[in-house]
Amino acid sequence: MKALLLLKRIILITLLAFPLLTFGQGNNFIEISGKIIDKDDKTALPGVSVLIKGTVAGTITDSDGSFKLRSKAKYPFTLVISSIGFKTQEFEVQNPGSNINIELVTQTQLAQEIVVTASRVEESILKSPVAIAKLDIRAIRDSPSPSFYDALENVKGVQMTTSSLTFKIPNTRGFNIPSNYRFMQLVDGIDMQAATLGVPLGNAIGPTELDIASVEITPGAASALYGLNAINGMSNLLTKSPFFYQGLSVYQKTGVNHVGGTGREASMLTETALRYAKAFNNKFAFKVNFSYMRGTDWLADTRQDQNPNNLKSANPSFPALNGANNAAYDGWNKYGDDVLAGSNTVSVSGLNINGKPNQTLNVARTGYWERDLVNPNVDNLKFDAALHYRISDKVELSYSYRIGKMDGVFQRGNKIQLDNVIIQNHKVELKGADFLVRAYTSSENSGDSYNVKPLADNMDLSTGGSGTVWGAAYKSALTQYATNNGGGLTDANLAAATAYARGIADANRAVPGTKAFNDQKALIIGINNWDIKSAQIPDAPVSGGAALVQRSHLYHVEGQWDLSKYTKVFDMLIGGDARLYEITPDGNSFVDFSRPIADRGKPLENGSYGKNIAYKKIGAFTQLTKTVFDEKLKIFGSLRFDYNPEFKPILTPRIAAVYSPDKSNNFRFTYQQGYRFPGLFEALSYVNNGRVKRVGSLPYINEGLGYLDNSYTRASGVVFNAAVNAAVAGGATRNDAALANRNLLVKAQLDKGRPEGIHSYEFGYKSVFLNNTLVLDFDAYTNTYDGFLGQVQVDVPRGQTVGSDAAVLAMLDANRDSQDRYRVYTNAKNKYTNYGSALGITYNFFKGYTVSGNTSFNKIKSNATADIFVTGFNTPELTTNIQFGNRQITKNLGFSVVHRWQKKFLWESPLVNGYVRAIHTFDAQVTYKVPTIKGTVKVGGSDIFNNNYIQYAGGPTLGGLYYVAITFDGLLNK
């Protein structure tokens, strides 16, 4: 706790002290003025950026192309003149009498971007030491995607996972999951990861459509410089400076989705955004952003059975139950029927089927479809504001505040209905020409959210009866059906008998759409205890609960300093950071582990559930770069140190070289390591969920529970019980059959949790040809993961030691109450190697017409031995994107078309397993500019032929979305 208080104080002092910093200033200001025009038609260019090179001092031109800039710069100095669509130019000012009238030339050359994410300093995209892509304002405006965030899907190597209209997660280079811990999202340096939810929310609380300046994406490991979660890559969203983008901007988008095949009626989607920015005397500036989006969410309603009757977890001995007659049906988007998780099954034994006694059926509870449990309507509200003050020509101080409120659905271990989730952050930043200091704090409140799985479980249990009661009713109905239909159960009537039995057992079950269902749902989602009252849990609520109550704070401070002007021989960058998460225990998802096990879910007299939980780390890095051989070879070396008190200290190196034999060809090679500390949910969760407790990877959670070293794997339990049922059907007693098949039970023997690691090798080539009108960008990589983090389900024989006769008997399905079941975050036993490559080509071939395309290949090497859990590569082997367009077919009119293809691939997760079919989609847009009113009209659509598809197993069905967007930019800017 002392460390927690210390870090809080450091960040508080940093936040308060920044505005008090002063720098000596004299009164020797100079004033520079001039005018910028278009070289082609000699018209004035408003909104052009004019920056004094090597400083933060700058301004923009007004409506007649004129600018005026006050500075303390000494002659001579250089002005950098830049504007979207024009070639950046530099102009040296020699003396006060310099005549500054500049003509800008339309930019037709490619690959001229400057990026900062790859090395944390500005550099040419051609000479980046790692693969990187950049979307600037022009690329975003030209994209036919409905939002700038959707446009990321067309970037080379990026795989997008859409869980909701409000919730999209990018990933690169394999091991994709909807809640992506391995891909970092930054917005102006702030980590967008929602701490306890464990998901990045860059599109939900990040920049509005009007404030985004550019997006840089780095596929592959970036841990050597950024640490923590950047093991699979990162995206860096940069917003507009109020000094360079001023005035009032208005954005209105109206669209329609669900035009067929998505499970819902055609629905309107609207998004409104406002931005206002103003600068005063090139010293002080502010900006304010607001946006609101509302629509009908995509629906996950795939009815595929992931537990077909040929599996041992079903009833393979009875082919009459194949297909639609499967009594152990486990649907992709149905909850409360989770046979594969072992939490919603009833073992109906002692049956006489086909004249054979002692037969057993595995039967799933009926459960509920996702469409009946989640809300169809979603909205997303964003607001942010920033104040900027230029203390001197080389130092700028800023404060920003950001808040986002969102609804939607996302998939972690289960589906979560997000409702009124609120994320806020405050940031103070001091930035100079060669240094940066930043401190921010983020808060998270899950609002009225709930977990769909316990909602379905407790809806069934509270209205349809406990497993014992429901199973008895089911068996009685089977017997009755047999008596009324020939006297026995046979292959001929078994399917009808099981359907009849289910109807009888479900007689009191709440039916979706009824008042009873709605009332019970409202009751359950308002209770933050997912257990339900039983003989084993007498203190639990009668109805059970499903509320997701998660609140946390993140405190972060970081800095970097470019020492290159002091080191002379090489360029040197140093930096460091400290981060602290503080979680408020809720007694259900997160608990105070210092309390006795039996009391962790009970409130104290003050209403809290104990002391706040701290999870912290510190880190530091240094990067050296050196250019040799007439600046043809640039060598990079970096080393990062990270320490989390729960683990041993970690060193993360990166070595890279970029060889440029000429200005057009650039070869690079990079080796780096990366590590990832478990996220908060992976490390510290303690969740009751359908009598299967999900627990984090930190070893002290195991104390008193025994799942690390006194458990059997649930997968082996399924095989064991299938063998026992077969032996009982052959005449053996159940206990004798269990002891005879004890060798089928596999001891879990889980290791203590440790950070996940990666060793990555990358080769790349980037070149420009034909007078910079053709760009080729290629990269290839291989990654090896060690200690891959995932989940395994294990069963602990209550009060017994694994290996003993009593422990074996406890593993019988009939003895469910003698087991404690856990889903444990732990490290894989095997190492995993994946490899791949990506190729991108862009050609500006005729009068502004551009064709571009990229293709990505990703594959994982198979291991000789099976692991304790399925890691889930979850990435298509091949994807391609092809784009064709012209920003200006005629004056003020442009268009673009994008085709995306993705190969069929296997998706594996703790919730759903199955194949995701191939995707073929076309996006298109036409844009018309109205310069006289500073307006733009954009008409477009994604998946314009409405070729419905899903992006992951269990995910929503996506389809056509058609829109009209009107933008007014730079109003009231004088």
Side-chain angles (χ1 to χ4, degrees):
M1 291 303 295
K2 289 182 179 179
L4 172 63
L5 291 172
L6 178 61
L7 186 54
K8 278 187 176 179
R9 287 171 181 169
I10 290 172
I11 293 174
L12 180 60
I13 291 169
T14 305
L15 290 171
L16 293 175
F18 275 177
L20 303 178
L21 292 172
T22 59
F23 291 75
Q25 299 182 57
N27 297 315
N28 300 320
F29 283 92
I30 61 172
E31 187 171 281
I32 313 143
S33 60
K35 188 170 184 176
I36 313 295
I37 64 173
D38 186 329
K39 184 177 181 179
D40 292 336
D41 57 18
K42 308 303 179 183
T43 58
L45 292 176
V48 176
S49 168
V50 181
L51 179 70
I52 299 177
K53 190 172 184 179
T55 74
V56 297
T59 187
I60 59 172
T61 56
D62 59 21
S63 57
D64 65 357
S66 299
F67 69 89
K68 185 179 294 184
L69 178 61
R70 298 179 74 237
S71 172
K72 291 183 65 180
K74 296 180 180 180
Y75 297 106
F77 55 86
T78 301
L79 295 180
V80 180
I81 316 297
S82 61
S83 182
I84 299 300
F86 293 90
K87 183 179 180 180
T88 298
Q89 295 185 32
E90 295 187 357
F91 182 87
E92 186 174 72
V93 182
Q94 297 283 352
N95 52 62
S98 298
N99 184 24
I100 308 176
N101 291 300
I102 298 174
E103 296 180 340
L104 290 189
V105 179
T106 302
Q107 172 70 277
T108 58
Q109 297 180 331
L110 303 173
Q112 303 299 305
E113 298 97 333
I114 299 297
V115 294
V116 297
T117 306
S119 301
R120 299 186 74 122
V121 293
E122 290 187 353
E123 62 191 348
S124 167
I125 196 171
L126 291 172
K127 297 189 177 183
S128 166
V130 294
I132 188 169
K134 180 174 183 176
L135 293 177
D136 61 14
I137 294 177
R138 281 196 307 171
I140 292 168
R141 289 173 178 170
D142 293 343
S143 171
S145 300
S147 71
F148 78 85
Y149 212 85
D150 290 289
L152 302 184
E153 188 170 14
N154 300 322
V155 173
K156 176 172 66 75
V158 174
Q159 178 186 3
M160 187 69 80
T161 302
T162 301
S163 295
S164 174
L165 276 174
T166 58
F167 197 83
K168 305 171 191 294
I169 304 293
N171 187 60
T172 58
R173 298 185 176 178
F175 298 107
N176 190 21
I177 54 175
S179 55
N180 196 340
Y181 298 101
R182 299 180 177 88
F183 190 92
M184 174 181 279
Q185 294 184 26
L186 300 178
V187 173
D188 291 335
I190 298 179
D191 190 349
M192 287 289 107
Q193 190 91 0
T196 57
L197 290 174
V199 291
L201 298 175
N203 71 305
I205 64 170
T208 69
E209 293 292 321
L210 293 172
D211 198 40
I212 187 71
S214 65
V215 182
E216 296 180 10
I217 294 187
T218 304
S223 303
L225 292 180
Y226 292 92
L228 210 60
N229 296 336
I231 197 170
N232 262 31
M234 64 178 294
S235 62
N236 193 5
L237 283 62
L238 303 173
T239 65
K240 296 176 179 177
S241 165
F243 283 109
F244 298 115
Y245 297 90
Q246 297 183 36
L248 173 68
S249 299
V250 181
Y251 174 84
Q252 176 62 50
K253 178 174 68 180
T254 302
V256 61
N257 64 342
H258 300 295
V259 294
T262 57
R264 287 189 168 135
E265 297 297 322
S267 304
M268 295 296 293
L269 179 147
T270 63
E271 181 175 2
T272 302
L274 299 171
R275 180 184 188 273
Y276 182 70
K278 179 69 174 177
F280 302 91
N281 297 323
N282 196 38
K283 294 291 292 182
F284 173 76
F286 74 92
K287 67 175 179 178
V288 179
N289 285 284
F290 167 85
S291 75
Y292 181 71
M293 186 277 287
R294 182 175 178 84
T296 301
D297 209 356
W298 301 115
L299 174 65
D301 198 31
T302 303
R303 311 229 163 177
Q304 183 170 325
D305 185 1
Q306 61 176 339
N307 186 50
N309 198 49
N310 64 302
L311 298 183
K312 292 181 179 180
S313 49
N315 300 283
S317 299
F318 304 105
L321 298 180
N322 288 350
N325 301 319
N326 185 6
Y329 175 91
D330 188 346
W332 269 22
N333 293 119
K334 206 176 193 187
Y335 306 94
D337 67 339
D338 305 294
V339 178
L340 294 182
S343 58
N344 299 106
T345 56
V346 175
S347 182
V348 182
S349 59
L351 301 174
N352 189 309
I353 304 176
N354 292 326
K356 298 179 181 179
N358 298 320
Q359 302 297 299
T360 300
L361 288 178
N362 291 321
V363 181
R365 291 297 294 263
T366 303
Y368 292 89
W369 293 107
E370 183 173 328
R371 69 179 304 142
D372 298 318
L373 302 174
V374 301
N375 300 326
N377 299 319
V378 295
D379 64 5
N380 182 202
L381 176 68
K382 302 179 190 179
F383 173 82
D384 67 84
L387 304 174
H388 291 245
Y389 177 64
R390 287 175 173 167
I391 297 171
S392 71
D393 284 353
K394 295 191 176 182
V395 180
E396 183 175 318
L397 174 68
S398 64
Y399 162 79
S400 64
Y401 169 72
R402 185 180 299 277
I403 183 171
K405 177 264 175 192
M406 65 171 292
D407 305 328
V409 177
F410 88 95
Q411 180 175 316
R412 193 163 61 187
N414 289 311
K415 287 291 184 74
I416 306 292
Q417 171 68 65
L418 301 176
D419 187 10
N420 293 323
V421 172
I422 295 177
I423 308 291
Q424 301 180 69
N425 55 58
H426 300 262
K427 182 190 72 168
V428 174
E429 181 176 288
L430 187 68
K431 184 177 182 181
D434 57 6
F435 75 91
L436 169 71
V437 181
R438 175 187 297 132
Y440 62 86
T441 178
S442 296
S443 66
E444 169 194 31
N445 186 330
S446 58
D448 303 313
S449 302
Y450 57 89
N451 191 314
V452 171
K453 159 72 171 163
L455 171 58
D457 287 349
N458 290 329
M459 184 71 76
D460 249 346
L461 293 169
S462 63
T463 64
S466 68
T468 301
V469 170
W470 191 88
Y474 189 97
K475 183 176 180 179
S476 175
L478 278 178
T479 303
Q480 180 184 352
Y481 187 92
T483 300
N484 297 338
N485 291 272
L489 297 172
T490 66
D491 285 340
N493 67 16
L494 187 58
T498 55
Y500 172 78
R502 184 175 297 278
I504 296 297
D506 281 343
N508 295 319
R509 173 177 174 270
V511 177
T514 63
K515 183 178 185 301
F517 176 89
N518 294 334
D519 289 347
Q520 192 69 5
K521 176 185 174 184
L523 174 66
I524 293 171
I525 65 176
I527 298 174
N528 184 36
N529 184 338
W530 299 352
D531 287 326
I532 190 168
K533 187 172 184 176
S534 65
Q536 291 74 36
I537 317 174
D539 295 332
V542 174
S543 64
L548 185 74
V549 179
Q550 295 183 1
R551 293 175 174 84
S552 68
H553 287 85
L554 160 65
Y555 305 95
H556 181 96
V557 61
E558 65 177 275
Q560 69 180 51
W561 188 14
D562 189 344
L563 299 173
S564 302
K565 64 182 179 182
Y566 304 107
T567 54
K568 304 297 183 182
V569 177
F570 49 78
D571 292 338
M572 183 176 185
L573 181 71
I574 61 172
D577 62 80
R579 174 173 294 194
L580 181 141
Y581 294 99
E582 185 181 17
I583 312 165
T584 302
D586 69 304
N588 188 64
S589 295
F590 294 93
V591 300
D592 178 358
F593 291 106
S594 67
R595 301 182 67 191
I597 291 175
D599 296 337
R600 291 173 180 174
K602 300 176 182 177
L604 297 170
E605 290 184 0
N606 63 6
S608 75
Y609 288 86
K611 296 180 295 185
N612 286 357
I613 307 160
Y615 190 61
K616 48 190 175 291
K617 68 167 285 291
I618 58 172
F621 71 89
T622 183
Q623 176 177 260
L624 305 180
T625 58
K626 175 68 174 176
T627 303
V628 295
F629 302 135
D630 295 327
E631 298 191 351
K632 291 184 177 181
L633 178 64
K634 190 172 186 178
I635 302 171
F636 301 76
S638 65
L639 183 66
R640 183 178 177 89
F641 166 86
D642 284 289
Y643 176 61
N644 179 326
E646 305 293 346
F647 308 99
K648 295 179 180 179
I650 289 173
L651 290 176
T652 308
R654 182 175 83 171
I655 301 172
V658 178
Y659 177 60
S660 306
D662 53 51
K663 293 183 179 180
S664 298
N665 295 281
N666 302 272
F667 301 84
R668 66 177 184 272
F669 175 80
T670 305
Y671 165 74
Q672 60 184 314
Q673 294 179 19
Y675 289 92
R676 184 177 73 87
F677 293 125
L680 290 184
F681 196 79
E682 294 174 304
L684 291 161
S685 57
Y686 193 79
V687 181
N688 296 312
N689 195 349
R691 296 183 65 190
V692 178
K693 188 180 291 293
R694 297 170 186 264
V695 290
S697 61
L698 296 185
Y700 61 74
I701 301 175
N702 176 64
E703 295 173 7
L705 303 178
Y707 53 80
L708 290 183
D709 52 8
N710 190 51
S711 63
Y712 297 108
T713 65
R714 173 94 287 268
S716 71
V718 171
V719 176
F720 164 77
N721 277 282
V724 169
N725 289 341
V728 170
T733 66
R734 191 162 295 275
N735 284 2
D736 287 345
L739 295 174
N741 287 282
R742 66 192 310 156
N743 290 336
L744 295 176
L745 291 170
V746 177
K747 297 179 182 179
Q749 294 296 328
L750 303 181
D751 296 328
K752 294 181 179 180
R754 59 188 173 90
E756 178 180 297
I758 186 175
H759 290 252
S760 177
Y761 296 86
E762 179 182 318
F763 168 79
Y765 171 67
K766 185 170 285 189
S767 62
V768 291
F769 305 98
L770 305 179
N771 193 27
N772 288 21
T773 59
L774 175 65
V775 176
L776 186 149
D777 184 8
F778 171 80
D779 61 78
Y781 73 93
T782 178
N783 295 331
T784 299
Y785 291 82
D786 182 23
F788 195 92
L789 278 163
Q791 299 178 63
V792 60
Q793 189 162 319
V794 299
D795 299 346
V796 175
R798 188 177 300 165
Q800 308 298 331
T801 303
V802 292
S804 66
D805 289 356
V808 171
L809 297 178
M811 291 301 103
L812 290 169
D813 283 344
N815 295 333
R816 173 66 178 88
D817 291 340
S818 297
Q819 308 163 17
D820 290 321
R821 294 184 178 178
Y822 298 90
R823 183 172 285 178
V824 185
Y825 278 100
T826 188
N827 299 97
K829 306 286 187 182
N830 296 332
K831 292 184 178 181
Y832 291 88
T833 298
N834 68 307
Y835 56 94
S837 60
L839 173 66
I841 299 175
T842 302
Y843 183 34
N844 191 339
F845 62 95
F846 176 72
K847 292 185 177 180
Y849 285 93
T850 300
V851 61
S852 62
N854 61 70
T855 183
S856 302
F857 167 79
N858 297 279
K859 196 170 180 65
I860 185 171
K861 292 178 65 175
S862 58
N863 286 329
T865 57
D867 217 319
I868 55 174
F869 59 80
V870 176
T871 52
F873 188 56
N874 298 342
T875 303
E877 187 174 299
L878 287 173
T879 61
T880 62
N881 294 285
I882 299 174
Q883 180 166 346
F884 173 66
N886 190 330
R887 295 187 176 103
Q888 194 159 303
I889 314 171
T890 62
K891 189 174 183 178
N892 300 323
L893 181 67
F895 81 98
S896 64
V897 180
V898 175
H899 172 248
R900 178 174 177 80
W901 173 83
Q902 178 180 289
K903 188 177 181 180
K904 174 182 177 182
F905 69 99
L906 175 65
W907 183 278
E908 299 170 299
S909 73
L911 184 63
V912 180
N913 297 294
Y915 279 93
V916 176
R917 64 180 176 84
I919 295 174
H920 296 269
T921 62
F922 285 87
D923 302 346
Q925 65 85 16
V926 175
T927 299
Y928 182 68
K929 298 177 183 178
V930 189
T932 55
I933 58 172
K934 299 184 178 181
T936 301
V937 179
K938 185 176 181 179
V939 179
S942 60
D943 189 16
I944 58 175
F945 298 115
N946 196 39
N947 188 10
N948 300 143
Y949 63 97
I950 61 172
Q951 292 182 325
Y952 65 95
T957 299
L958 309 179
L961 193 160
Y962 312 92
Y963 64 88
V964 176
I966 300 174
T967 305
F968 297 95
D969 199 9
L971 302 174
L972 307 181
N973 182 23
K974 295 182 179 179

